[in-house]
């Protein structure tokens, strides 16, 4: 069901009481049971909480607890990394990878918000100028000769002239005198 290439793994693991291997893709954790039964696929975009067990000695288990929201239900999933020699290295690598992935997703979200704000400002400028609005309606809406992005790129200079300047902060001149 997952056609993404693995970026980490496969590592020996146990999930839902079945031994197998776990692989990590860009968006999924996939546990493939050794008995050939259906893989357990966890979409990282649905993970709301995660916890990693502490390395409490030689006999401690390296377990990842994931809180997942699927179809309006909250589900808890446990994945144990079972390599006797490498389980703590695997867990540490997985934790660092998940942290980095979450930071990247947050950064991309921030970029998307900034782009949406810039697009909103550009669209407001277009709609505020009868000339630009006429061009936009003709080229984008009626003739479909351009996409929104193409129109904004092609008319960037005209749009920039119509975007209102940010307001300067008010200064209390009484304190200067």
């Amino acid at each position: 069901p997952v056609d993404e290439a693995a970026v980490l793994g496969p590592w020996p693991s146990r999930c839902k009481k079945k031994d197998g291997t776990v692989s990590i893709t860009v968006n999924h954790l996939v546990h493939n049971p050794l008995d050939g039964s259906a893989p357990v696929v966890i979409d990282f975009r649905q993970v709301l909480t995660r916890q990693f067990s502490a390395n409490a000695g030689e006999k401690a288990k390296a377990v990842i607890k994931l809180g997942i929201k699927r179809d309006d239900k909250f589900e808890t999933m446990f994945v144990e990394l079972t390599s006797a020699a490498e389980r703590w290295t695997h867990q540490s690598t997985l934790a660092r990878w998940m942290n980095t992935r979450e930071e990247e997703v947050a950064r991309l979200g921030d970029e998307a918000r900034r782009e949406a704000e810039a697009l909103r400002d550009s669209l407001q400028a277009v709609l505020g100028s009868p000339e630009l609005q006429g061009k936009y309606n003709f080229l984008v809406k009626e003739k479909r000769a351009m996409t929104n992005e193409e129109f904004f790129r092609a008319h960037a200079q005209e749009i920039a002239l119509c975007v209102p300047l940010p307001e300067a902060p008010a200064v209390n001149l009484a304190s200067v005198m």
Side-chain angles (χ1 to χ4, degrees), residues 20-141:
T21 60
V22 68
S23 297
I24 310 301
T25 71
V26 172
N27 293 311
H28 299 91
L29 180 146
V30 181
H31 174 77
N32 290 300
L34 294 176
D35 66 7
S37 58
V40 176
V41 179
I42 299 170
D43 189 327
F44 286 124
R45 295 167 289 201
Q46 295 175 328
V47 174
L48 301 178
T49 62
R50 60 188 169 92
Q51 273 184 297
F52 294 89
S53 60
N55 184 348
E58 197 173 298
K59 294 187 180 185
K61 293 181 178 182
V63 178
I64 302 123
K65 177 182 175 184
L66 301 170
I68 305 160
K69 181 163 178 157
R70 289 188 187 169
D71 303 323
D72 296 330
K73 292 188 300 186
F74 187 80
E75 182 180 347
T76 302
M77 188 78 61
F78 295 90
V79 178
E80 179 185 355
L81 300 167
T82 57
S83 168
E86 298 290 326
R87 67 182 180 270
W88 297 111
T89 303
H90 294 163
Q91 181 176 312
S92 175
T93 302
L94 179 57
R96 285 193 316 273
W97 187 86
M98 288 179 83
N99 285 336
T100 301
R101 183 187 181 285
E102 287 174 3
E103 290 167 4
E104 184 67 14
V105 166
R107 187 185 64 74
L108 290 173
D110 290 343
E111 283 180 16
R113 276 189 291 282
R114 284 192 296 275
E115 287 176 14
E117 288 171 8
L119 185 61
R120 184 192 69 226
D121 293 344
S122 294
L123 187 56
Q124 285 176 344
V126 167
L127 298 177
S129 163
E131 182 182 339
L132 279 173
Q133 185 176 11
K135 290 178 183 179
Y136 179 82
N137 286 337
F138 180 74
L139 293 170
V140 177
K141 291 187 174 182

